[in-house]
């Protein structure tokens, strides 16, 4: 139903291109002039990992769309020099990036899309996980949860409940209802694996497990915290001498 | 007469409190949504609610009246596994609600290996449970 005529007239105008568009739309005539400036689009990445003392270039911290003649120059533009003394998280605000781009390509328009800052995580030499440390925590969790489940069983008098169930089902008295207890114990572990959707490394289906969602949310909260607290520009005290 | 009415009222009131508490606990831990998500049976959620309610009522009947069914003893294996899986899911959900793993994994820089830590807890639970029933309770 939409019926429109699109007429293009263009002529040189301070190296900018002007499009005159003429729409015919439901008996209303619309004239529109689009003066297309040359535009640089940037989209900051969320998180970037970088080794220390590295020069951070624009292409590392943002996706860039720009006219071909300036693209390579733009991408190689240095935004930040990481110093060794610096803490392991640096926030680059999009305002700083725009400032630097405007200084070199003042006549171009900069459009930003997406997040307003990039978190640079300085990764010092990846320390391997220390094996004794890891084993300590593994056994801490192992015996900790073993103790916890035993205390829980004792607390809820599971032994007497199980003996009662045994008597209800079979009509016999049994002080060692192992026929019930061993499947119960294995099922306990199976239930936890089912909940976390992990069978050692193999997944039961491809949806993320609640734990992975939880890890993601935790990381998001941490990121939000550093964005506000490590970014000098996002909090300011106006001094009232 | 009035005392009978009072007893009935008290019974209904306490049952209401315990029952709503049980359902609230299950809801907070999100075990049923998790199961429907794994099995892709969101539409059957109403049936699952009834399963929980009827199961709870069966449990009430069994613990209050103690009937004797004289069934073969291998049915206990089925009961044991289902009970165990249910408790395991509750325990896992509780650990997850308490947000233990994300913090632990961050602290010891073990980002890729959460599965190993989960296995520590899972195996610990199985070990603790079997140890208790086979050895511990008889001493």
């Amino acid at each position: 139903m939409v019926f429109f005529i699109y007429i293009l007239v263009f002529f040189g105008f301070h190296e900018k291109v002007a499009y005159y568009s003429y729409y015919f739309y439901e008996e209303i005539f619309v004239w529109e002039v689009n003066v297309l400036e040359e535009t640089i689009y940037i989209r900051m990445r969320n998180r970037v990992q970088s080794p220390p003392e590295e020069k951070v270039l624009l292409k590392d911290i943002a996706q860039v769309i720009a006219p071909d003649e300036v693209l390579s120059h733009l991408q190689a533009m240095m935004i930040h020099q990481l110093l060794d003394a610096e803490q392991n998280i640096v926030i680059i605000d999009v305002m700083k990036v725009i400032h630097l781009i405007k200084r070199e390509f003042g006549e171009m328009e900069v459009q930003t899309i997406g997040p307003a800052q990039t978190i640079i995580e300085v990764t010092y030499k990846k320390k391997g996980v220390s094996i004794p440390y890891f084993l300590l925590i593994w056994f801490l969790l192992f015996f900790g949860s073993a103790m916890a489940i035993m205390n829980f069983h004792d607390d809820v008098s599971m032994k007497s409940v199980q003996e009662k169930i045994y008597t209800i089902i079979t009509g016999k008295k049994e002080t060692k209802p192992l026929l019930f207890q061993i499947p119960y114990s294995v099922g306990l572990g199976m239930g936890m694996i089912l909940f976390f959707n992990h069978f050692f490394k193999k997944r039961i289906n491809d949806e993320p497990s609640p734990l992975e969602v939880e890890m993601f949310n935790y990381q998001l909260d941490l990121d939000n915290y550093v964005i506000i607290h490590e970014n000098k520009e996002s909090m300011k005290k106006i001094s009232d001498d | 007469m009035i005392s009978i009415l009072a007893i009935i009222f008290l019974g209904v009131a306490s049952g209401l409190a315990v029952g709503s508490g049980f359902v609230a606990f299950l809801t907070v831990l999100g075990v049923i949504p998790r199961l429907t998500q794994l099995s892709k049976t969101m539409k059957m959620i109403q049936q699952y609610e009834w399963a929980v309610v009827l199961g709870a009522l069966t449990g009430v009947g069994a613990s209050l009246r103690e009937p004797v069914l004289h069934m073969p003893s291998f049915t206990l294996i089925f009961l044991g596994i289902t009970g165990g899986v249910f408790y395991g899911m509750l325990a896992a959900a509780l650990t997850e609600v308490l947000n233990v793993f994300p913090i632990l994994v961050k602290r010891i820089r073990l980002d890729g290996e959460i599965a190993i830590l989960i296995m520590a807890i899972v195996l610990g639970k199985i070990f603790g449970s079997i140890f208790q029933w086979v050895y511990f309770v008889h001493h």
Side-chain angles (χ1 to χ4, degrees), chain B residues 62-134:
Chain B
S63 63
L64 293 185
R65 305 238 60 99
E66 294 187 33
V68 178
L69 299 178
H70 294 290
M71 271 152 72
S73 49
F74 67 82
T75 43
L76 283 164
I77 297 175
F78 173 73
L79 264 183
I81 285 196
T82 48
V85 169
F86 191 74
Y87 266 133
M89 295 194 71
L90 283 189
L94 211 59
T95 341
E96 197 248 346
V97 166
L98 296 179
N99 220 346
V100 179
F101 282 110
I103 295 166
L104 199 64
V105 162
K106 273 264 163 212
R107 286 286 162 279
I108 60 168
R109 288 190 214 92
L110 207 71
D111 294 36
E113 321 286 338
I114 324 173
I116 301 176
L117 292 184
I118 294 177
M119 284 337 282
I121 292 201
V122 168
L123 295 178
K125 287 250 191 280
I126 296 175
F127 168 77
S129 186
I130 290 182
F131 173 72
Q132 182 170 27
W133 304 129
V134 175

Side-chain angles (χ1 to χ4, degrees), chain A residues 125-184:
Chain A
K125 243 179 280 140
K126 244 223 149 106
K127 284 180 218 137
V129 185
S130 74
I131 297 294
Y133 216 43
F134 168 71
L135 285 179
L136 184 76
I137 286 174
W138 202 91
F139 280 105
L140 186 85
L141 289 174
F142 181 85
F143 286 111
S145 55
M147 290 301 297
I149 200 73
M150 286 168 72
N151 279 320
F152 165 74
H153 287 159
D154 212 44
D155 194 34
V156 299
S157 319
M158 194 167 286
K159 184 171 161 16
S160 68
V161 173
Q162 288 175 340
E163 283 167 11
K164 256 184 205 164
I165 289 174
Y166 196 94
T167 314
I168 288 174
I169 300 285
T170 62
K172 281 173 272 180
K173 281 241 177 294
E174 173 69 85
T175 49
K176 276 187 177 184
L178 286 182
L179 209 55
F180 183 87
Q181 289 167 337
I182 302 295
Y184 164 81

Side-chain angles (χ1 to χ4, degrees), chain B residues 10-38:
Chain B
L10 220 67
V12 171
S14 56
L16 210 66
V18 173
S20 50
F22 178 64
V23 172
F25 184 63
L26 272 184
T27 312
V28 166
L29 295 180
V31 167
I32 299 172
R34 182 77 193 121
L35 279 173
T36 58
Q37 187 199 358
L38 278 175

Side-chain angles (χ1 to χ4, degrees), chain A residues 52-71:
Chain A
E53 293 178 79
E54 191 84 350
K55 286 186 171 69
V56 178
L57 308 180
L58 183 60
K59 67 169 182 226
D60 299 329
I61 61 164
Q63 303 174 51
V64 185
I65 298 177
D68 287 339
E69 59 268 26
V70 290
L71 187 62

